[in-house]
Amino acid sequence: MSEVPDWSEFRAAHPAAAPTDWLRACAEPDWSAAIGHRFARECNAGRVEPAAMRRYLVQDYQFIGAFCALLGRAIHTAPDLAARLPLGRFMGLLCSEENTFFVRAFDALGVPEDLRRDPPLSDAAQDFRALMVEAAESAVHADQLAVLCVAEWVYLSWALPARDTRPPEPFWCAEWVDLHASPYFESFVRGLRAALDREVTSLDPAGRARVRALFTRAATLERAFFDSAYDEGLPA
């Protein structure tokens, strides 16, 4: 974790900053390493090798169950209907368009059924899934938002610059960029940040420290998860 002061000190030094700006600063250098990762650069350029993409997608697909549970818990702990609706809409996207993308990509990349169902997981994938479960078990809405915000904001940050420049092929790169660079997704992440900003300002110091820890752990694991796409010890 970078040496960043707590929110009150950070706000005094950066009066225009939002709480999520503070959290992002706390997550350095892992944040910048994740959004500038080799996987992100190669995906934006349509150059991820099939073996690396198979490893990445096989591992990432194992998050869907835990991620749906995390989203569901965030919907439950949200303060009102207005806060629940965007999370519910995103749940629908995750369970339809995104899930369909995985199936089509697995078919095109020749991923066998056993690796789709129950592959050996990297340490990063195991730890990230455990973090999602931990946040989902919390009764505090900000805890779910902290992990969700990292998971989606990191992807928007690396994919958005390629929204108008990514090559059309291979589709498993092009459509992965499109899912995370669309105007809808950009708006959703903006809403996640705004919701987390509101929650952080209402927390006591212990609550803010907990959210900071969740956020920074999630950023560290995003970086490590991208690394695992190139781990030749994992099945591809």
Side-chain angles (χ1 to χ4, degrees), residues 59 82 116 133 174 213 215 219 236:
Q59 298 287 309
R116 304 184 194 200
V133 171
F215 192 99

Side-chain angles (χ1 to χ4, degrees), residues 4-19 21-22 25:
V4 175
D6 66 20
W7 165 236
S8 58
E9 293 180 44
F10 187 87
R11 180 176 53 185
H14 306 86
D21 294 319
W22 166 65

Side-chain angles (χ1 to χ4, degrees), residues 26 28-31 43 45 48 73 77 85 98 148 206 232:
C26 292
E28 293 293 359
D30 290 318
W31 183 275
C43 194
V48 182
R73 182 61 167 166
T77 60
L85 288 176
E98 188 160 327
L148 289 170
E232 295 183 359

